[in-house]
């Protein structure tokens, strides 16, 4: 009985530690900015921030401006995507008006199918260059800076050697001492 209970507990703990990737998140309705494509994210980190129109409109879009600054500062190595996630007053027209008023030009969607519930705004999900989720939460400034640094970091080479090109991986290895 104890063994069964421990086994069941270990299986549920293992399931709770699932590692998410960008593919587990699916933005739903495109609003504004560059359309999200795989080519846009190639060899870049991704920062997805969830926000609510109802919280941004009265403040003049302060957090939207903040994330736009991050997008501008890291345009070479980070894709910034805003997800308006509450949707009560956040109609596409209202959102577009707020974006123009605040000067936000990064990619904005309304709604997202996420693998977990998001109810605190702004909420951040940072993905590394391989699309793996490396941070999620409502960050403090130091946490956000660290998440961005991890997201834009280039992958380390294994054993200090460069990875062989894809074409070289497929070719059979030839020992130079034995000849061709």
């Amino acid at each position: 009985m104890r063994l069964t209970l421990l086994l069941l507990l270990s299986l549920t703990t293992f399931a709770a530690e699932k590692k998410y990737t960008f593919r587990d998140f699916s933005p739903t309705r495109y609003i504004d900015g560059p359309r999200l494509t795989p080519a846009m994210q190639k060899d870049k980190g991704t920062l997805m921030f969830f926000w609510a129109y109802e919280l941004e409109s009265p403040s003049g879009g302060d957090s939207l401006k903040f994330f736009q600054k991050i997008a501008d500062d890291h345009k070479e190595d980070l894709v910034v995507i805003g997800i308006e996630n509450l949707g009560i007053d956040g109609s596409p027209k209202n959102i577009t008006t707020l974006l123009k008023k605040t000067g936000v030009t990064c990619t904005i969607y309304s709604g997202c199918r996420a693998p977990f519930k998001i109810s605190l705004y702004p909420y951040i999900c940072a993905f590394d260059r391989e699309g793996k989720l490396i941070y999620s939460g409502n960050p403090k400034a130091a946490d956000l800076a660290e998440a961005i640094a991890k997201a834009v970091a280039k992958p380390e080479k294994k054993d200090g050697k460069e990875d062989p090109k894809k074409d070289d991986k497929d070719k059979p290895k030839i020992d130079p001492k034995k000849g061709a």
Side-chain angles (χ1 to χ4, degrees), residues 19-179:
K19 301 292 183 194
Y20 296 109
T21 66
F22 185 77
R23 291 182 179 177
D24 295 321
F25 294 77
S26 180
T28 51
R29 181 192 286 164
Y30 168 78
I31 300 292
D32 202 20
R35 285 200 182 261
L36 187 61
T37 64
M40 181 178 169
Q41 291 180 279
K42 184 177 173 133
D43 198 34
K44 292 184 178 183
T46 302
L47 181 71
M48 186 180 285
F49 70 95
F50 294 85
W51 60 284
Y53 176 84
E54 287 78 3
L55 301 174
E56 288 298 318
S57 185
S59 72
D62 291 339
S63 69
L64 288 173
K65 292 174 188 175
F66 176 75
F67 288 108
Q68 180 61 49
K69 180 166 177 17
I70 291 171
D72 293 342
D73 291 348
H74 297 280
K75 60 185 165 195
E76 299 299 319
D77 51 8
L78 186 70
V79 176
V80 177
I81 305 164
I83 307 287
E84 197 287 324
N85 208 39
L86 203 52
I88 297 169
D89 291 328
S91 69
K93 183 179 178 183
N94 288 348
I95 293 170
T96 303
T97 301
L98 180 62
L99 296 176
K100 286 181 182 172
K101 182 175 141 184
T102 57
V104 173
T105 60
C106 61
T107 303
I108 302 291
Y109 281 83
S110 178
C112 180
R113 286 184 220 98
F116 47 82
K117 182 134 176 82
I118 297 167
S119 58
L120 184 63
Y121 302 102
Y123 190 90
I124 310 300
C125 290
F127 303 87
D128 65 11
R129 292 175 185 256
E130 296 173 353
K132 296 176 188 168
L133 181 66
I134 55 173
Y135 179 85
S136 68
N138 184 281
K140 293 179 176 44
D143 294 339
L144 181 58
E146 185 178 332
I148 291 171
K150 285 182 183 177
V152 300
K154 297 211 180 217
E156 294 180 19
K157 304 281 187 217
K158 296 175 185 168
D159 301 328
K161 298 177 184 177
E162 290 188 29
D163 290 333
K165 295 178 184 174
K166 287 184 179 179
D167 296 340
D168 294 341
K169 286 182 182 177
D170 297 334
K171 292 180 183 178
K173 303 229 187 268
I174 299 173
D175 188 351
K177 292 178 183 176
K178 292 183 179 177

